[in-house]
PDB file of all heavy atoms in Angstrom:
ATOM      1  N   ILE A 399      23.152  -3.961 -32.284  1.00 96.00           N
ATOM      2  CA  ILE A 399      22.581  -4.189 -33.529  1.00 96.00           C
ATOM      3  C   ILE A 399      23.118  -5.428 -34.049  1.00 96.00           C
ATOM      4  O   ILE A 399      24.172  -5.738 -33.945  1.00 96.00           O
ATOM      5  CB  ILE A 399      22.656  -2.926 -34.398  1.00 96.00           C
ATOM      6  CG1 ILE A 399      21.848  -3.112 -35.697  1.00 96.00           C
ATOM      7  CG2 ILE A 399      24.092  -2.626 -34.735  1.00 96.00           C
ATOM      8  CD1 ILE A 399      21.628  -1.759 -36.481  1.00 96.00           C
ATOM      9  N   ALA A 400      22.162  -6.279 -34.722  1.00 96.00           N
ATOM     10  CA  ALA A 400      22.698  -7.430 -35.442  1.00 96.00           C
ATOM     11  C   ALA A 400      23.060  -7.094 -36.915  1.00 96.00           C
ATOM     12  O   ALA A 400      22.178  -6.611 -37.614  1.00 96.00           O
ATOM     13  CB  ALA A 400      21.497  -8.474 -35.343  1.00 96.00           C
ATOM     14  N   ILE A 401      24.336  -7.427 -37.151  1.00 95.00           N
ATOM     15  CA  ILE A 401      24.827  -7.236 -38.569  1.00 95.00           C
ATOM     16  C   ILE A 401      25.216  -8.579 -39.009  1.00 95.00           C
ATOM     17  O   ILE A 401      25.904  -9.371 -38.452  1.00 95.00           O
ATOM     18  CB  ILE A 401      25.920  -6.187 -38.600  1.00 95.00           C
ATOM     19  CG1 ILE A 401      25.456  -4.921 -38.059  1.00 95.00           C
ATOM     20  CG2 ILE A 401      26.467  -6.097 -39.986  1.00 95.00           C
ATOM     21  CD1 ILE A 401      26.537  -3.771 -38.041  1.00 95.00           C
ATOM     22  N   GLY A 402      24.903  -8.916 -40.192  1.00 93.00           N
ATOM     23  CA  GLY A 402      25.284 -10.241 -40.825  1.00 93.00           C
ATOM     24  C   GLY A 402      26.811 -10.577 -40.897  1.00 93.00           C
ATOM     25  O   GLY A 402      27.541  -9.592 -41.139  1.00 93.00           O
ATOM     26  N   SER A 403      27.095 -11.717 -40.639  1.00 91.00           N
ATOM     27  CA  SER A 403      28.518 -12.094 -40.892  1.00 91.00           C
ATOM     28  C   SER A 403      28.691 -11.859 -42.389  1.00 91.00           C
ATOM     29  O   SER A 403      27.975 -12.185 -43.292  1.00 91.00           O
ATOM     30  CB  SER A 403      28.755 -13.607 -40.732  1.00 91.00           C
ATOM     31  OG  SER A 403      28.916 -13.823 -39.443  1.00 91.00           O
ATOM     32  N   GLY A 404      29.704 -10.941 -42.745  1.00 88.00           N
ATOM     33  CA  GLY A 404      29.881 -10.456 -44.158  1.00 88.00           C
ATOM     34  C   GLY A 404      30.383 -11.414 -45.095  1.00 88.00           C
ATOM     35  O   GLY A 404      30.857 -12.463 -44.799  1.00 88.00           O
ATOM     36  N   PHE A 405      30.304 -10.867 -46.391  1.00 90.00           N
ATOM     37  CA  PHE A 405      30.912 -11.592 -47.464  1.00 90.00           C
ATOM     38  C   PHE A 405      32.422 -11.854 -47.292  1.00 90.00           C
ATOM     39  O   PHE A 405      32.927 -12.881 -47.772  1.00 90.00           O
ATOM     40  CB  PHE A 405      30.651 -10.867 -48.755  1.00 90.00           C
ATOM     41  CG  PHE A 405      31.131 -11.611 -49.978  1.00 90.00           C
ATOM     42  CD1 PHE A 405      30.513 -12.766 -50.448  1.00 90.00           C
ATOM     43  CD2 PHE A 405      32.212 -11.215 -50.665  1.00 90.00           C
ATOM     44  CE1 PHE A 405      30.929 -13.430 -51.545  1.00 90.00           C
ATOM     45  CE2 PHE A 405      32.657 -11.838 -51.687  1.00 90.00           C
ATOM     46  CZ  PHE A 405      32.019 -12.898 -52.248  1.00 90.00           C
ATOM     47  N   GLU A 406      33.039 -10.822 -46.540  1.00 91.00           N
ATOM     48  CA  GLU A 406      34.371 -11.117 -46.439  1.00 91.00           C
ATOM     49  C   GLU A 406      34.849 -12.009 -45.330  1.00 91.00           C
ATOM     50  O   GLU A 406      35.919 -12.399 -45.153  1.00 91.00           O
ATOM     51  CB  GLU A 406      35.070  -9.672 -45.865  1.00 91.00           C
ATOM     52  CG  GLU A 406      34.704  -9.199 -44.625  1.00 91.00           C
ATOM     53  CD  GLU A 406      33.338  -8.510 -44.486  1.00 91.00           C
ATOM     54  OE1 GLU A 406      32.554  -8.550 -45.443  1.00 91.00           O
ATOM     55  OE2 GLU A 406      32.970  -8.056 -43.429  1.00 91.00           O
ATOM     56  N   GLY A 407      33.832 -12.530 -44.442  1.00 93.00           N
ATOM     57  CA  GLY A 407      34.112 -13.488 -43.490  1.00 93.00           C
ATOM     58  C   GLY A 407      33.433 -13.462 -42.193  1.00 93.00           C
ATOM     59  O   GLY A 407      32.853 -12.364 -41.921  1.00 93.00           O
ATOM     60  N   SER A 408      33.392 -14.524 -41.510  1.00 95.00           N
ATOM     61  CA  SER A 408      32.510 -14.604 -40.198  1.00 95.00           C
ATOM     62  C   SER A 408      33.399 -14.219 -39.032  1.00 95.00           C
ATOM     63  O   SER A 408      32.954 -14.040 -37.950  1.00 95.00           O
ATOM     64  CB  SER A 408      32.083 -15.887 -39.933  1.00 95.00           C
ATOM     65  OG  SER A 408      33.116 -17.006 -39.775  1.00 95.00           O
ATOM     66  N   GLY A 409      34.767 -14.087 -39.149  1.00 95.00           N
ATOM     67  CA  GLY A 409      35.732 -13.887 -37.974  1.00 95.00           C
ATOM     68  C   GLY A 409      36.400 -15.158 -37.716  1.00 95.00           C
ATOM     69  O   GLY A 409      37.483 -15.282 -36.825  1.00 95.00           O
ATOM     70  N   ASP A 410      36.058 -16.375 -38.365  1.00 96.00           N
ATOM     71  CA  ASP A 410      36.719 -17.585 -38.161  1.00 96.00           C
ATOM     72  C   ASP A 410      36.862 -18.303 -39.615  1.00 96.00           C
ATOM     73  O   ASP A 410      35.807 -18.585 -40.156  1.00 96.00           O
ATOM     74  CB  ASP A 410      35.962 -18.468 -37.210  1.00 96.00           C
ATOM     75  CG  ASP A 410      36.698 -19.830 -36.906  1.00 96.00           C
ATOM     76  OD1 ASP A 410      37.480 -20.265 -37.742  1.00 96.00           O
ATOM     77  OD2 ASP A 410      36.318 -20.351 -35.655  1.00 96.00           O
ATOM     78  N   PRO A 411      38.012 -18.543 -40.100  1.00 94.00           N
ATOM     79  CA  PRO A 411      38.080 -19.066 -41.417  1.00 94.00           C
ATOM     80  C   PRO A 411      37.435 -20.496 -41.478  1.00 94.00           C
ATOM     81  O   PRO A 411      37.078 -20.882 -42.763  1.00 94.00           O
ATOM     82  CB  PRO A 411      39.531 -19.160 -41.649  1.00 94.00           C
ATOM     83  CG  PRO A 411      40.161 -19.106 -40.249  1.00 94.00           C
ATOM     84  CD  PRO A 411      39.313 -18.323 -39.382  1.00 94.00           C
ATOM     85  N   ARG A 412      37.228 -21.097 -40.447  1.00 95.00           N
ATOM     86  CA  ARG A 412      36.502 -22.444 -40.519  1.00 95.00           C
ATOM     87  C   ARG A 412      34.999 -22.355 -40.566  1.00 95.00           C
ATOM     88  O   ARG A 412      34.385 -23.281 -40.937  1.00 95.00           O
ATOM     89  CB  ARG A 412      36.868 -23.230 -39.264  1.00 95.00           C
ATOM     90  CG  ARG A 412      38.415 -23.587 -39.139  1.00 95.00           C
ATOM     91  CD  ARG A 412      38.676 -24.097 -37.737  1.00 95.00           C
ATOM     92  NE  ARG A 412      38.225 -23.235 -36.690  1.00 95.00           N
ATOM     93  CZ  ARG A 412      38.354 -23.538 -35.319  1.00 95.00           C
ATOM     94  NH1 ARG A 412      38.825 -24.752 -35.005  1.00 95.00           N
ATOM     95  NH2 ARG A 412      37.984 -22.697 -34.433  1.00 95.00           N
ATOM     96  N   ILE A 413      34.492 -21.122 -40.318  1.00 96.00           N
ATOM     97  CA  ILE A 413      32.993 -20.901 -40.374  1.00 96.00           C
ATOM     98  C   ILE A 413      32.677 -20.002 -41.505  1.00 96.00           C
ATOM     99  O   ILE A 413      33.038 -18.876 -41.541  1.00 96.00           O
ATOM    100  CB  ILE A 413      32.533 -20.205 -39.041  1.00 96.00           C
ATOM    101  CG1 ILE A 413      32.957 -21.081 -37.824  1.00 96.00           C
ATOM    102  CG2 ILE A 413      31.064 -20.054 -39.018  1.00 96.00           C
ATOM    103  CD1 ILE A 413      32.261 -22.451 -37.813  1.00 96.00           C
ATOM    104  N   VAL A 414      32.075 -20.589 -42.437  1.00 95.00           N
ATOM    105  CA  VAL A 414      31.659 -19.875 -43.655  1.00 95.00           C
ATOM    106  C   VAL A 414      30.457 -18.996 -43.390  1.00 95.00           C
ATOM    107  O   VAL A 414      29.465 -19.600 -42.998  1.00 95.00           O
ATOM    108  CB  VAL A 414      31.442 -20.842 -44.956  1.00 95.00           C
ATOM    109  CG1 VAL A 414      31.080 -19.979 -46.146  1.00 95.00           C
ATOM    110  CG2 VAL A 414      32.758 -21.504 -45.137  1.00 95.00           C
ATOM    111  N   SER A 415      30.485 -17.696 -43.587  1.00 95.00           N
ATOM    112  CA  SER A 415      29.308 -16.868 -43.382  1.00 95.00           C
ATOM    113  C   SER A 415      28.261 -17.230 -44.389  1.00 95.00           C
ATOM    114  O   SER A 415      28.362 -17.664 -45.452  1.00 95.00           O
ATOM    115  CB  SER A 415      29.618 -15.473 -43.515  1.00 95.00           C
ATOM    116  OG  SER A 415      29.927 -15.133 -44.944  1.00 95.00           O
ATOM    117  N   ARG A 416      27.021 -17.042 -43.864  1.00 93.00           N
ATOM    118  CA  ARG A 416      25.995 -17.374 -44.778  1.00 93.00           C
ATOM    119  C   ARG A 416      25.932 -16.546 -46.024  1.00 93.00           C
ATOM    120  O   ARG A 416      25.686 -17.006 -47.282  1.00 93.00           O
ATOM    121  CB  ARG A 416      24.446 -17.006 -44.007  1.00 93.00           C
ATOM    122  CG  ARG A 416      24.378 -17.932 -42.806  1.00 93.00           C
ATOM    123  CD  ARG A 416      23.771 -19.268 -43.150  1.00 93.00           C
ATOM    124  NE  ARG A 416      22.398 -19.243 -43.536  1.00 93.00           N
ATOM    125  CZ  ARG A 416      21.750 -20.112 -44.271  1.00 93.00           C
ATOM    126  NH1 ARG A 416      22.391 -21.100 -44.796  1.00 93.00           N
ATOM    127  NH2 ARG A 416      20.421 -19.942 -44.433  1.00 93.00           N
ATOM    128  N   ARG A 417      26.377 -15.298 -45.955  1.00 94.00           N
ATOM    129  CA  ARG A 417      26.521 -14.314 -47.101  1.00 94.00           C
ATOM    130  C   ARG A 417      27.554 -14.893 -48.045  1.00 94.00           C
ATOM    131  O   ARG A 417      27.395 -14.879 -49.347  1.00 94.00           O
ATOM    132  CB  ARG A 417      26.832 -12.900 -46.795  1.00 94.00           C
ATOM    133  CG  ARG A 417      25.526 -12.211 -46.268  1.00 94.00           C
ATOM    134  CD  ARG A 417      25.890 -10.732 -46.006  1.00 94.00           C
ATOM    135  NE  ARG A 417      26.248 -10.065 -47.258  1.00 94.00           N
ATOM    136  CZ  ARG A 417      26.337  -8.643 -47.360  1.00 94.00           C
ATOM    137  NH1 ARG A 417      26.117  -7.978 -46.250  1.00 94.00           N
ATOM    138  NH2 ARG A 417      26.633  -8.200 -48.493  1.00 94.00           N
ATOM    139  N   GLN A 418      28.699 -15.251 -47.531  1.00 93.00           N
ATOM    140  CA  GLN A 418      29.857 -15.841 -48.351  1.00 93.00           C
ATOM    141  C   GLN A 418      29.406 -17.225 -48.963  1.00 93.00           C
ATOM    142  O   GLN A 418      29.626 -17.452 -50.145  1.00 93.00           O
ATOM    143  CB  GLN A 418      31.031 -16.072 -47.460  1.00 93.00           C
ATOM    144  CG  GLN A 418      32.272 -16.343 -48.173  1.00 93.00           C
ATOM    145  CD  GLN A 418      33.477 -16.359 -47.353  1.00 93.00           C
ATOM    146  OE1 GLN A 418      33.451 -17.124 -46.360  1.00 93.00           O
ATOM    147  NE2 GLN A 418      34.460 -15.462 -47.474  1.00 93.00           N
ATOM    148  N   GLU A 419      28.650 -18.044 -48.299  1.00 91.00           N
ATOM    149  CA  GLU A 419      28.152 -19.217 -48.903  1.00 91.00           C
ATOM    150  C   GLU A 419      27.352 -19.101 -50.053  1.00 91.00           C
ATOM    151  O   GLU A 419      27.379 -19.808 -50.961  1.00 91.00           O
ATOM    152  CB  GLU A 419      27.294 -20.072 -47.595  1.00 91.00           C
ATOM    153  CG  GLU A 419      26.754 -21.363 -48.191  1.00 91.00           C
ATOM    154  CD  GLU A 419      25.739 -21.962 -46.968  1.00 91.00           C
ATOM    155  OE1 GLU A 419      25.781 -21.338 -46.026  1.00 91.00           O
ATOM    156  OE2 GLU A 419      25.242 -22.931 -47.246  1.00 91.00           O
ATOM    157  N   PHE A 420      26.458 -18.024 -50.020  1.00 91.00           N
ATOM    158  CA  PHE A 420      25.552 -17.875 -51.079  1.00 91.00           C
ATOM    159  C   PHE A 420      25.921 -16.780 -52.138  1.00 91.00           C
ATOM    160  O   PHE A 420      25.272 -16.397 -53.008  1.00 91.00           O
ATOM    161  CB  PHE A 420      24.101 -17.433 -50.604  1.00 91.00           C
ATOM    162  CG  PHE A 420      23.371 -18.682 -50.023  1.00 91.00           C
ATOM    163  CD1 PHE A 420      23.546 -19.160 -48.840  1.00 91.00           C
ATOM    164  CD2 PHE A 420      22.454 -19.309 -50.923  1.00 91.00           C
ATOM    165  CE1 PHE A 420      22.852 -20.349 -48.395  1.00 91.00           C
ATOM    166  CE2 PHE A 420      21.773 -20.424 -50.336  1.00 91.00           C
ATOM    167  CZ  PHE A 420      22.051 -20.899 -49.072  1.00 91.00           C
ATOM    168  N   GLY A 421      27.239 -16.319 -51.912  1.00 91.00           N
ATOM    169  CA  GLY A 421      27.796 -15.297 -52.721  1.00 91.00           C
ATOM    170  C   GLY A 421      27.075 -13.870 -52.794  1.00 91.00           C
ATOM    171  O   GLY A 421      27.091 -13.221 -53.810  1.00 91.00           O
ATOM    172  N   MET A 422      26.597 -13.604 -51.555  1.00 93.00           N
ATOM    173  CA  MET A 422      25.989 -12.187 -51.470  1.00 93.00           C
ATOM    174  C   MET A 422      27.017 -11.172 -51.013  1.00 93.00           C
ATOM    175  O   MET A 422      27.274 -10.909 -49.797  1.00 93.00           O
ATOM    176  CB  MET A 422      24.788 -12.382 -50.435  1.00 93.00           C
ATOM    177  CG  MET A 422      23.762 -13.315 -50.819  1.00 93.00           C
ATOM    178  SD  MET A 422      22.859 -12.734 -52.285  1.00 93.00           S
ATOM    179  CE  MET A 422      21.962 -14.271 -52.732  1.00 93.00           C
ATOM    180  N   ASP A 423      27.624 -10.682 -52.063  1.00 93.00           N
ATOM    181  CA  ASP A 423      28.483  -9.584 -51.939  1.00 93.00           C
ATOM    182  C   ASP A 423      28.037  -8.120 -51.762  1.00 93.00           C
ATOM    183  O   ASP A 423      28.855  -7.195 -51.647  1.00 93.00           O
ATOM    184  CB  ASP A 423      29.709  -9.723 -52.898  1.00 93.00           C
ATOM    185  CG  ASP A 423      29.219  -9.475 -54.308  1.00 93.00           C
ATOM    186  OD1 ASP A 423      28.005  -9.462 -54.467  1.00 93.00           O
ATOM    187  OD2 ASP A 423      30.009  -9.249 -55.172  1.00 93.00           O
ATOM    188  N   ARG A 424      26.700  -7.993 -51.884  1.00 94.00           N
ATOM    189  CA  ARG A 424      26.214  -6.672 -51.835  1.00 94.00           C
ATOM    190  C   ARG A 424      24.714  -6.702 -51.283  1.00 94.00           C
ATOM    191  O   ARG A 424      24.175  -7.747 -51.297  1.00 94.00           O
ATOM    192  CB  ARG A 424      26.307  -5.915 -53.203  1.00 94.00           C
ATOM    193  CG  ARG A 424      25.366  -6.723 -54.170  1.00 94.00           C
ATOM    194  CD  ARG A 424      25.725  -6.258 -55.669  1.00 94.00           C
ATOM    195  NE  ARG A 424      25.140  -7.063 -56.636  1.00 94.00           N
ATOM    196  CZ  ARG A 424      23.995  -6.735 -57.345  1.00 94.00           C
ATOM    197  NH1 ARG A 424      23.373  -5.774 -57.003  1.00 94.00           N
ATOM    198  NH2 ARG A 424      23.415  -7.688 -58.176  1.00 94.00           N
ATOM    199  N   LEU A 425      24.267  -5.591 -50.901  1.00 96.00           N
ATOM    200  CA  LEU A 425      22.850  -5.577 -50.433  1.00 96.00           C
ATOM    201  C   LEU A 425      21.919  -5.384 -51.599  1.00 96.00           C
ATOM    202  O   LEU A 425      22.252  -4.745 -52.590  1.00 96.00           O
ATOM    203  CB  LEU A 425      22.686  -4.303 -49.585  1.00 96.00           C
ATOM    204  CG  LEU A 425      23.594  -4.144 -48.210  1.00 96.00           C
ATOM    205  CD1 LEU A 425      23.225  -2.854 -47.539  1.00 96.00           C
ATOM    206  CD2 LEU A 425      23.297  -5.351 -47.354  1.00 96.00           C
ATOM    207  N   LEU A 426      20.849  -6.108 -51.575  1.00 95.00           N
ATOM    208  CA  LEU A 426      19.885  -6.203 -52.686  1.00 95.00           C
ATOM    209  C   LEU A 426      18.607  -5.571 -52.409  1.00 95.00           C
ATOM    210  O   LEU A 426      18.179  -5.532 -51.284  1.00 95.00           O
ATOM    211  CB  LEU A 426      19.512  -7.621 -53.130  1.00 95.00           C
ATOM    212  CG  LEU A 426      20.754  -8.527 -53.380  1.00 95.00           C
ATOM    213  CD1 LEU A 426      20.159  -9.907 -53.882  1.00 95.00           C
ATOM    214  CD2 LEU A 426      21.598  -8.104 -54.566  1.00 95.00           C
ATOM    215  N   SER A 427      17.920  -4.978 -53.364  1.00 93.00           N
ATOM    216  CA  SER A 427      16.579  -4.320 -53.305  1.00 93.00           C
ATOM    217  C   SER A 427      15.715  -5.629 -53.388  1.00 93.00           C
ATOM    218  O   SER A 427      16.078  -6.786 -53.746  1.00 93.00           O
ATOM    219  CB  SER A 427      16.305  -3.523 -54.449  1.00 93.00           C
ATOM    220  OG  SER A 427      16.223  -4.124 -55.643  1.00 93.00           O
TER     221      SER A 427
END
Side-chain angles (χ1 to χ4, degrees):
I399 186 170
I401 300 178
S403 280
F405 181 74
E406 71 278 7
S408 68
D410 185 336
R412 298 171 300 176
I413 305 297
V414 178
S415 75
R416 298 278 285 159
R417 284 187 60 171
Q418 197 172 51
E419 178 186 355
F420 284 81
M422 296 297 167
D423 60 346
R424 60 195 173 97
L425 303 177
L426 304 182
S427 66

